[in-house]
């Protein structure tokens, strides 16, 4: 052993760059690293025990996977009945132990449209077609996105309503009665709106100025109160082209109407609530907190039940909300409260320096929010937002309890049809419905991942 | 003003008051963080503020653009008095640029967008003009080629220079620097200081909280020493460094110039 090393060293030429060894690349390397390596170490008794354990777990998992896949394929394909050429209905499916596809074919219309009259169903198709094109336009960014987004947000709902429901021309309800229920909130909304208009200019000092957002919120809420009976009247008034009452809507149509309405409205409302919860003005802060905590603290079923059964008691007699509209509002309130908390998480992740950076440049509060804080906060919590959307999409099934037949509700209804009563009908139906839900939810999930990657500026 | 200042490039200081702070006091809860601050800054002055950590120097300059509010006394910036009136605060903020220790660039916007954001939204400049101004100042801080990148792709020194350019795009009358080089790797400090020196030479009114004493000697016309929320001593750099009067100043200087 030497006692002294010469520490001086000078590299005269670079070490060569070499290709990675074959143990690092290719399918074999992948299989080895991810599956077999954990089972191959027997160097010490402890490691041997772990390796044996991993072997058992691997074999069990592989078996379970194969077994489940086989069972599913066997049910859905190999043992299934596909055709019913003689129109035997349930008898066609009784021989086989697998899925009864003729049942799905027979009930497909109801799965999609509920009890919508077949001769009018083109209206739903046009509506959904426009929706699909609109969403595709925004999801795969095509030119003029902004205009399409505006169209989808403001014009499309009106078009969709007129298409799905029918065109209101003549009326049966008592307009006077409806108007009497409208004028009071309408006047209050007008006052609040005028107050906001005055307060947002800086002429009347800071205290008034600070009240502007609260006044705007009040105006919007009161406006909704005033507007709802009007919308309901429009719904209830019986109408020139054939009106398809909302109680005939059903199936996937209802699911999509409720879910998309919920998704589109809950995001901005959730944003306002999240900002409100962080506000320095106690009235705004506490009303946001109370709203969020109350709504979050009760089950959606209670909200829907309240909206369906109790709300009429609070309204003047004769003013009747459409049941579907009530359910939609219930869903929106519920989703907004969750959304607010998700977005608040995002707001808290934004460093104080971002606010200060904006402030030091002279940006106003709303400019800071819109241009700096919210874009970053929302990007941060895309997984949480989409999580809430997916939850909301599936929660729409709860409208069943106020007898609105969404996709799942219509399935339960068709299962009661004795003509198609076989041991496997229910399994087949639930499999199909599960697949439809899964396709929608998985699409949202993938879009979320795509957006996360696209908006990630941290290491590009 | 001073016969010692011959080594430095002489820079004009006008008689016009840029910032006037009178009898200002500030508390964090019950903690008296700024005590009886009186400070008049003239257009064209380059003031370096130093002092031990917790002495209130950052808080002082953050009061000037109302990032912190003061409870007593008055602050006037360019004749606009800082009160609770949001209008005055926004006016002052758009006239006073600020650079932070951690840059506070907006990571979701490109360098160019960072620079054009405030001119477009606060000054209501047309986009084309804002971009021209931004490119002008990015050239000035020597990073026009990074305009399309995002802040996360730049080094710390480059980010701080972008932050300076971003402030300059608002054409501020006064620039505040809050420890602009403290978060930087040593090899990047010089590029930021060079930018600041260039800015000073063009006559910008500057208040810098910094521990870069070389910068203070070279650029400042006044050095302010703060301790425990008070202005303890202020003087021209030569006198300040060579002949400090207060014991606290002497102690502080011996600590930071010790090795």
């Amino acid at each position: 052993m030497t006692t002294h090393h010469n520490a001086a060293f000078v590299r005269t030429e670079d070490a060569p760059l070499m290709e990675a060894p074959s143990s690092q690349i290719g399918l074999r390397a992948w299989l080895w690293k991810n599956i077999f390596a954990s089972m191959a170490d027997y160097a010490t008794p402890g490691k041997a025990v772990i390796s044996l354990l991993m072997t058992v777990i691997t074999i069990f998992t592989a078996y379970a996977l194969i077994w489940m896949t086989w069972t599913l394929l066997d049910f859905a394909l190999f043992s299934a009945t596909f055709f019913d050429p003689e129109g035997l209905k349930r008898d066609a499916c009784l021989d086989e132990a697998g899925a009864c596809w003729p049942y799905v074919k027979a009930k497909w219309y109801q799965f999609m449209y509920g009890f919508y009259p077949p001769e009018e169903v083109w209206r739903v198709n046009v509506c959904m077609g426009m929706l699909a094109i609109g969403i595709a336009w925004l999801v795969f960014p095509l030119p003029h996105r902004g205009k399409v987004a505006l169209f989808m947000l403001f014009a499309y709902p009106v078009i969709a309503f007129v298409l799905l429901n029918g065109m209101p021309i003549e009326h049966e309800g008592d307009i006077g009665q409806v108007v009497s229920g409208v004028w009071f909130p309408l006047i209050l909304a007008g006052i609040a709106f005028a107050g906001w208009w005055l307060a947002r200019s800086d002429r009347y000092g800071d205290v008034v100025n600070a009240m502007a957002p609260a006044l705007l919120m009040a105006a919007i809420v009161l406006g909704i109160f005033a507007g709802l009976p009007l919308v309901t009247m429009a719904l209830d008034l019986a109408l020139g082209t054939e009106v398809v009452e909302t109680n005939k809507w059903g199936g996937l149509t209802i699911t999509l109407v409720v879910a998309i309405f919920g998704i589109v409205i809950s995001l901005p409302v959730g944003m306002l609530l999240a900002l409100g919860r962080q506000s320095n003005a106690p009235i705004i802060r506490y009303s946001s907190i109370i709203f969020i905590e109350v709504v979050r603290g009760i089950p959606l079923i209670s909200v829907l039940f309240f909206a369906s059964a109790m709300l009429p008691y609070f309204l003047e007699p004769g003013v009747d909300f459409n049941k579907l509209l009530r359910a939609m509002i219930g869903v929106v309130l519920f989703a907004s409260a969750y959304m607010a908390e998700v977005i608040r998480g995002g707001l808290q992740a934004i460093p104080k320096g971002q606010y200060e950076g904006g402030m030091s440049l002279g940006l106003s509060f709303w400019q800071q929010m819109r241009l700096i804080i919210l874009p970053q906060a929302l990007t941060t919590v895309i997984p949480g937002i989409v999580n809430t959307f997916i939850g909301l999409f599936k929660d729409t099934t709860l409208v069943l309890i106020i007898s609105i037949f969404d996709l799942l509700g219509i399935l339960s209804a068709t299962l009661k049809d004795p003509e198609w009563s076989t041991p496997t009908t229910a399994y087949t139906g639930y499999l199909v419905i599960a697949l439809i839900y899964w396709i929608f939810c998985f699409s949202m999930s993938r879009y979320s991942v795509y957006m996360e990657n696209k908006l990630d500026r941290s290491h590009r | 003003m001073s016969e010692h200042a011959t080594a430095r490039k002489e820079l004009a200081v006008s008689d016009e008051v840029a910032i006037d702070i009178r009898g200002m006091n500030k508390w964090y809860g019950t903690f008296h963080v700024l005590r009886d601050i009186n400070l008049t800054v003239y257009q064209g002055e380059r003031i370096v503020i130093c002092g031990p950590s917790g002495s209130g120097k950052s808080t002082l300059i953050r009061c000037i653009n109302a990032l912190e509010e003061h409870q007593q006394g008055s602050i006037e910036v360019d004749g606009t008095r800082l009160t609770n009136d949001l209008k005055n605060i926004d006016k002052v903020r758009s006239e006073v640029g600020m650079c932070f220790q951690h840059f506070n660039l907006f990571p979701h916007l490109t360098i160019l967008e960072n620079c054009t954001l405030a001119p477009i939204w606060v000054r209501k400049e047309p986009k084309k003009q804002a971009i021209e101004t931004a490119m002008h100042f990015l050239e000035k801080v020597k990073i026009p080629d990074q305009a399309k990148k995002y802040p996360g792709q730049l080094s710390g020194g480059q980010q701080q220079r972008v932050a300076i350019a971003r402030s300059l795009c608002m054409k501020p009358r006064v620039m505040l620097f809050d420890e602009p080089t403290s978060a930087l790797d040593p090899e990047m400090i010089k590029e930021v200081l060079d930018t600041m020196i260039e800015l000073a030479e063009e006559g910008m009114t500057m208040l810098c909280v910094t521990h870069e004493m070389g910068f203070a000697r070279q650029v400042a016309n006044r050095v302010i020493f703060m301790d425990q929320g008070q202005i303890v001593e202020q003087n021209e750099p030569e006198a300040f460094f060579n002949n400090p009067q207060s014991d606290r100043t002497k102690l502080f200087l011996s600590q930071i110039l010790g090795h």
Side-chain angles (χ1 to χ4, degrees), chain A residues 88-91 94 100 102-108 110-111 115 409-426:
Chain A
L88 300 172
K89 299 198 170 171
R90 72 185 286 266
D91 294 328
L94 282 177
C100 180
Y103 151 76
V104 175
K105 191 170 173 244
K107 300 296 184 188
W108 185 251
Q110 288 188 26
F111 288 174
F115 308 108
I410 214 86
L411 171 73
S412 312
T414 62
L415 290 178
K416 297 196 179 97
D417 182 354
E419 289 190 337
W420 286 100
S421 163
T422 78
T424 59
T425 307

Side-chain angles (χ1 to χ4, degrees), chain A residues 354 356 359 370-371 460, chain B residues 62 93 105 108 121 153:
Chain A
Q354 291 293 304
E356 292 181 348
M359 272 190 253
R370 195 160 70 79
L371 302 167
R460 281 216 305 188
Chain B
R62 289 160 59 85
R93 281 178 182 161
L105 294 176
H108 62 302
W121 290 93
Q153 298 165 289

Side-chain angles (χ1 to χ4, degrees), chain A residues 54 60 62 64 69 126 137 152 163 166 190 259 300 317 339 350 394 398 416 449 452:
Chain A
M54 291 305 287
F60 176 78
T69 312
V126 169
W137 200 296
M152 292 307 288
L163 270 175
L300 176 56
M339 193 58 75
I350 306 298
K394 292 184 294 183
L398 291 173
K416 297 196 179 97
V449 172
E452 281 166 51

Side-chain angles (χ1 to χ4, degrees), chain A residues 79-122:
Chain A
S79 307
T81 309
F82 285 95
F83 304 107
D84 178 22
E86 289 135 70
L88 300 172
K89 299 198 170 171
R90 72 185 286 266
D91 294 328
C93 293
L94 282 177
D95 300 338
E96 296 279 0
C100 180
W101 294 112
Y103 151 76
V104 175
K105 191 170 173 244
K107 300 296 184 188
W108 185 251
Y109 181 88
Q110 288 188 26
F111 288 174
M112 293 295 111
Y113 310 107
F115 308 108
Y116 211 90
E119 64 277 12
E120 301 287 341
V121 83
W122 62 270

Side-chain angles (χ1 to χ4, degrees), chain B:
Chain B
M1 282 161 80
S2 156
E3 61 270 72
H4 302 289
T6 43
R8 290 183 293 124
K9 191 170 174 182
E10 270 307 335
L11 298 169
V13 173
S14 81
D15 295 335
E16 199 186 330
V17 174
I19 300 168
D20 195 22
I21 304 177
R22 295 261 147 258
M24 194 257 276
N25 283 282
K26 174 175 174 58
W27 290 261
Y28 283 132
T30 56
F31 177 56
H32 200 167
V33 59
L34 287 177
R35 298 197 258 168
D36 189 35
I37 303 288
N38 290 288
L39 176 65
T40 305
V41 181
Y42 295 93
Q43 276 300 341
E45 278 204 282
R46 290 89 44 205
I47 296 178
V48 163
I49 304 172
C50 59
S53 93
S55 59
K57 48 196 194 307
S58 286
T59 312
L60 171 61
I61 66 165
R62 289 160 59 85
C63 281
I64 294 172
N65 65 353
L67 288 184
E68 307 275 357
E69 62 178 337
H70 60 282
Q71 280 83 35
Q72 234 176 51
S74 71
I75 301 178
E76 269 183 36
V77 180
D78 244 348
T80 308
R81 188 162 169 170
L82 278 177
T83 57
N84 284 330
D85 194 339
L86 291 171
K87 206 170 160 186
N88 282 359
I89 290 178
D90 283 344
K91 179 159 185 288
V92 165
R93 281 178 182 161
S94 63
E95 303 294 336
V96 176
M98 182 154 190
C99 290
F100 301 86
Q101 184 177 357
H102 296 287
F103 332 133
N104 297 359
L105 294 176
F106 307 130
H108 62 302
L109 301 176
T110 63
I111 300 306
L112 188 62
E113 287 164 343
N114 264 278
C115 292
T116 57
L117 187 77
I120 289 174
W121 290 93
V122 179
R123 292 252 191 269
K124 314 287 178 205
E125 277 180 29
K127 197 174 170 196
K128 203 175 153 212
Q129 186 193 329
I131 290 175
E132 269 170 30
T133 316
M135 288 311 294
H136 167 76
F137 284 112
L138 285 174
E139 263 158 45
K140 217 166 118 76
V141 301
K142 304 189 180 66
I143 30 182
D145 45 331
Q146 316 279 7
K148 296 278 179 253
K149 290 191 182 168
Y150 288 90
Q153 298 165 289
L154 269 55
S155 73
Q158 289 174 322
Q159 290 193 44
Q160 191 60 290
R161 284 185 284 151
V162 171
I164 295 173
R166 179 177 76 174
S167 296
L168 293 178
C169 286
M170 288 294 282
K171 311 263 172 63
R173 309 255 289 157
V174 178
M175 282 289 290
L176 309 174
F177 292 86
D178 189 359
E179 305 206 22
T181 56
S182 303
L184 296 176
D185 290 336
E187 72 268 29
M188 293 168 184
I189 291 178
K190 187 173 178 296
E191 62 187 54
V192 171
L193 289 181
D194 284 347
T195 309
M196 290 166 64
I197 291 169
E198 203 178 308
L199 203 56
E201 285 169 353
E202 286 168 16
M204 176 64 79
T205 311
M206 295 164 67
L207 277 85
C208 313
V209 172
T210 181
H211 294 127
E212 297 294 332
M213 291 304 138
F215 172 79
R217 280 178 192 273
Q218 192 185 343
V219 177
N221 68 318
R222 196 155 31 134
V223 180
I224 293 177
F225 173 70
M226 288 184 72
D227 193 21
Q228 297 178 349
Q230 308 162 85
I231 294 179
V232 174
E233 185 165 347
Q234 52 173 314
N235 212 332
E236 290 156 24
E238 293 298 318
F240 179 85
F241 290 113
N242 299 338
N243 189 16
Q245 301 297 311
S246 148
D247 290 342
R248 284 193 265 183
T249 316
K250 285 175 194 163
L251 177 66
F252 176 74
L253 286 177
S254 75
Q255 280 163 340
I256 62 164
L257 301 173
H259 44 152

